[in-house]
Amino acid sequence: EPILEIVHRVWEHIQEDAMTAPDGDPLKIRVSAGIAWYPEDAVTLGDLLRCSDYAMYSSKNEAKGTLREFNPDQYDHEAYLIHGQEALNLLIEHELVEYVLQPIVQVSDASIYGYELLMRPQIKELSTPHDVLSIARAQSKLYQIEALTWKMALAKFAACAEQGILAPGAHAFINSIGNQIVSASEWDRLGEQYRPYLHRIVMEMTENEASNRELLQEKIEGQIAVDDFGAGYNSEQMAVFLNPSLVKVDRSLIRGIHQDSNRQAVLMNWIVYARERGIGVLAEGVETEEEMELVIRFGVDYLQGYYLAPPSEEPVSLSEERKQEILTLYRRYTSS
């Protein structure tokens, strides 16, 4: 007879039992329990007990008085959140993030228009910005990450500017969580410290994060860009709502676009849409010569991606070879 059938029969018997209280009233017995299986869930007694304990506590927390089998996917997710919370606290407390810079190139003259400052967490449990934001969102700590982003990204940009290693007049593209407004006192401090650079900021927003344009503009004196344009469902609406200076066409659309007429049609429609509204178009994630040729032919204003230059700790210049490629393509398609 299968073990699980026996367990369920015993379980039903327990659930039907009752105790008698001192006043004579019956008290129904309600027990939560967890099951773990050998060897599917674990191969040692200690690990089996740990897995069954987890299943039992899940039962108590979600639906008391039930019998639940161990769920490895749920366990992995919860363990990630628990360990991630500890790592996030450490990251915030000790400011364990660094920023690298990836150049953004203006097509018309192949000059460096600016640099995107990309977060690099310095803690193994949270290896990517996505990890940091996922845990911060789950732990209601997006504000702390937003404050840390502005503090560390502006410090990096200012340090490079003071060393004289930025392209002249280059802008700082900084990813921002739109519904998290840095406190007035903190922003006053940052504004006082980095006043010469505030007009050079381009604040990147995604449609999932944007909230109120007036609140966003309290943050900066510079520009707003819609990031990941085309990756969601409301890109055009966000462009209307934010009235940005730039839209950054998501890399998922740019990847392999020279081989996909459907993506080309979408990109062309967006370029026309942006042109009519005086919005610049930036193609991000350009990784091949063919992709670059196509997006320049279609009329994008700015380029970003590994084909031009990878992110680096210090800002890099565009190679002469890439400059000439861009200028040749620009002249070819603007004169035709």
Side-chain angles (χ1 to χ4, degrees):
E1 188 174 11
I3 294 175
L4 190 57
E5 290 184 13
I6 299 173
V7 170
H8 277 294
R9 193 163 60 248
V10 173
W11 182 257
E12 291 169 2
H13 178 72
I14 293 174
Q15 300 296 80
E16 292 171 357
D17 278 351
M19 298 176 59
T20 303
D23 60 3
D25 290 337
L27 293 176
K28 187 172 179 61
I29 297 175
R30 188 172 62 177
V31 178
S32 299
I35 300 173
W37 297 99
Y38 171 92
E40 291 85 355
D41 298 326
V43 295
T44 68
L45 177 60
D47 286 342
L48 280 167
L49 288 171
R50 175 176 52 80
C51 292
S52 60
D53 278 347
Y54 174 79
M56 177 190 66
Y57 285 117
S58 296
S59 171
K60 292 175 66 175
N61 290 333
E62 296 176 22
K64 291 183 179 180
T66 59
L67 174 67
R68 179 159 301 190
E69 294 185 60
F70 177 72
N71 183 325
D73 292 335
Q74 182 183 13
Y75 177 81
D76 290 343
H77 176 69
E78 301 239 345
Y80 169 73
L81 290 177
I82 292 170
H83 296 309
Q85 180 181 2
E86 297 170 356
L88 182 69
N89 291 338
L90 191 64
L91 179 144
I92 293 170
E93 181 179 354
H94 297 284
E95 300 179 343
L96 298 177
V97 294
E98 293 182 359
Y99 280 83
V100 295
L101 299 92
Q102 187 172 33
I104 290 169
V105 178
Q106 184 164 298
V107 174
S108 61
D109 59 4
S111 65
I112 293 180
Y113 179 76
Y115 306 88
E116 182 173 1
L117 286 103
L118 299 162
M119 176 191 288
R120 294 294 183 263
Q122 302 298 299
I123 188 166
K124 65 180 182 179
E125 293 88 349
L126 302 173
S127 59
T128 69
H130 176 76
D131 293 337
V132 172
L133 289 173
S134 295
I135 297 299
R137 189 171 291 109
Q139 300 298 327
S140 299
K141 291 187 177 178
L142 287 174
Y143 172 82
Q144 290 89 330
I145 297 303
E146 176 74 354
L148 184 63
T149 292
W150 284 101
K151 177 180 179 180
M152 303 298 285
L154 281 172
K156 176 72 174 186
F157 187 76
C160 290
E162 289 162 9
Q163 293 173 49
I165 57 178
L166 294 176
H171 293 75
F173 285 67
I174 299 176
N175 289 277
S176 176
I177 307 168
N179 55 13
Q180 302 296 316
I181 306 300
V182 176
S183 68
S185 59
E186 177 66 10
W187 190 247
D188 286 345
R189 188 187 69 77
L190 291 172
E192 183 67 28
Q193 187 172 1
Y194 301 114
R195 178 63 58 188
Y197 310 107
L198 297 187
H199 70 285
R200 293 161 66 179
I201 291 173
V202 180
M203 184 171 63
E204 296 190 17
M205 307 296 310
T206 69
E207 64 185 58
N208 294 326
E209 295 167 344
S211 54
N212 181 288
R213 179 175 172 80
E214 288 72 26
L215 290 176
L216 300 180
Q217 289 185 311
E218 289 180 7
K219 291 183 178 181
I220 62 169
E221 300 171 7
Q223 306 173 56
I224 291 176
V226 176
D227 195 15
D228 301 336
F229 192 76
Y233 297 103
N234 302 309
S235 296
E236 290 87 348
Q237 290 92 325
M238 288 308 303
V240 171
F241 170 70
L242 290 174
N243 189 25
S245 302
L246 293 162
V247 292
K248 295 187 70 177
V249 179
D250 188 66
R251 67 190 66 219
S252 64
L253 184 82
I254 300 302
R255 189 179 300 116
I257 192 170
H258 58 289
Q259 299 173 323
D260 189 331
S261 60
N262 290 327
R263 294 191 208 180
Q264 293 171 27
V266 171
L267 177 61
M268 180 55 74
N269 287 336
W270 284 342
I271 289 175
V272 171
Y273 175 90
R275 286 280 181 278
E276 292 173 349
R277 291 157 179 79
I279 299 171
V281 180
L282 189 160
E284 63 176 356
V286 176
E287 297 187 357
T288 69
E289 179 181 358
E290 294 81 6
E291 291 168 356
M292 186 176 78
E293 189 274 338
L294 187 286
V295 298
I296 291 177
R297 174 156 59 92
F298 276 35
V300 302
D301 303 290
Y302 306 95
L303 303 167
Q304 180 183 358
Y306 274 76
Y307 186 69
L308 301 151
S312 58
E313 292 186 8
E314 293 189 351
V316 297
S317 300
L318 198 62
S319 71
E320 277 302 316
E321 179 183 4
R322 291 291 176 269
K323 284 183 182 179
Q324 290 307 313
E325 284 182 47
I326 293 169
L327 291 173
T328 299
L329 290 168
Y330 178 73
R331 290 165 185 156
R332 178 189 304 167
Y333 293 120
T334 53
S335 61
S336 57

